[in-house]
Short mmCIF file of all heavy atoms in Angstrom, two decimals:
data_model
loop_
_atom_site.label_atom_id
_atom_site.label_comp_id
_atom_site.label_asym_id
_atom_site.label_seq_id
_atom_site.Cartn_x
_atom_site.Cartn_y
_atom_site.Cartn_z
N VAL O 30 -40.84 -17.60 6.22
CA VAL O 30 -40.34 -18.51 5.20
C VAL O 30 -40.71 -18.06 3.81
O VAL O 30 -39.91 -18.10 2.88
CB VAL O 30 -40.90 -19.93 5.44
CG1 VAL O 30 -40.42 -20.88 4.35
CG2 VAL O 30 -40.45 -20.44 6.79
N LEU O 31 -41.94 -17.60 3.63
CA LEU O 31 -42.45 -17.36 2.29
C LEU O 31 -42.43 -15.90 1.87
O LEU O 31 -42.32 -15.61 0.69
CB LEU O 31 -43.88 -17.89 2.19
CG LEU O 31 -43.99 -19.40 2.43
CD1 LEU O 31 -45.44 -19.81 2.46
CD2 LEU O 31 -43.25 -20.15 1.35
N ALA O 32 -42.57 -14.99 2.80
CA ALA O 32 -42.55 -13.58 2.43
C ALA O 32 -41.11 -13.10 2.47
O ALA O 32 -40.66 -12.52 3.43
CB ALA O 32 -43.41 -12.76 3.39
N VAL O 33 -40.39 -13.37 1.39
CA VAL O 33 -38.96 -13.10 1.39
C VAL O 33 -38.68 -11.63 1.60
O VAL O 33 -37.76 -11.25 2.29
CB VAL O 33 -38.34 -13.59 0.07
CG1 VAL O 33 -36.86 -13.30 0.04
CG2 VAL O 33 -38.59 -15.08 -0.08
N GLY O 34 -39.46 -10.77 0.98
CA GLY O 34 -39.34 -9.35 1.25
C GLY O 34 -40.52 -8.93 2.10
O GLY O 34 -41.63 -8.87 1.61
N ILE O 35 -40.29 -8.67 3.37
CA ILE O 35 -41.41 -8.39 4.26
C ILE O 35 -42.07 -7.07 3.91
O ILE O 35 -43.29 -6.94 3.96
CB ILE O 35 -40.92 -8.34 5.71
CG1 ILE O 35 -40.52 -9.77 6.14
CG2 ILE O 35 -41.99 -7.81 6.64
CD1 ILE O 35 -39.94 -9.82 7.51
N TRP O 36 -41.27 -6.11 3.51
CA TRP O 36 -41.83 -4.78 3.27
C TRP O 36 -42.08 -4.62 1.80
O TRP O 36 -41.18 -4.41 1.02
CB TRP O 36 -40.87 -3.72 3.81
CG TRP O 36 -40.58 -4.03 5.23
CD1 TRP O 36 -39.55 -4.77 5.71
CD2 TRP O 36 -41.37 -3.67 6.35
NE1 TRP O 36 -39.65 -4.89 7.07
CE2 TRP O 36 -40.74 -4.22 7.49
CE3 TRP O 36 -42.54 -2.92 6.52
CZ2 TRP O 36 -41.25 -4.05 8.77
CZ3 TRP O 36 -43.03 -2.75 7.80
CH2 TRP O 36 -42.38 -3.32 8.89
N ALA O 37 -43.32 -4.74 1.38
CA ALA O 37 -43.66 -4.72 -0.04
C ALA O 37 -43.38 -3.34 -0.62
O ALA O 37 -43.95 -2.35 -0.18
CB ALA O 37 -45.14 -5.05 -0.23
N PRO O 38 -42.49 -3.23 -1.59
CA PRO O 38 -42.18 -1.92 -2.17
C PRO O 38 -43.39 -1.30 -2.82
O PRO O 38 -44.13 -1.95 -3.55
CB PRO O 38 -41.09 -2.25 -3.22
CG PRO O 38 -41.24 -3.71 -3.48
CD PRO O 38 -41.74 -4.31 -2.21
N GLY O 39 -43.62 -0.03 -2.49
CA GLY O 39 -44.71 0.69 -3.12
C GLY O 39 -46.05 0.51 -2.45
O GLY O 39 -47.04 1.08 -2.89
N SER O 40 -46.11 -0.30 -1.38
CA SER O 40 -47.41 -0.51 -0.74
C SER O 40 -47.69 0.63 0.22
O SER O 40 -46.81 1.12 0.91
CB SER O 40 -47.42 -1.83 0.02
OG SER O 40 -46.45 -1.82 1.02
N GLY O 41 -48.95 1.06 0.28
CA GLY O 41 -49.32 2.12 1.22
C GLY O 41 -48.74 3.46 0.81
O GLY O 41 -48.31 3.68 -0.30
#
Side-chain angles (χ1 to χ4, degrees):
V30 178
L31 299 174
V33 179
I35 291 176
W36 306 92
S40 62

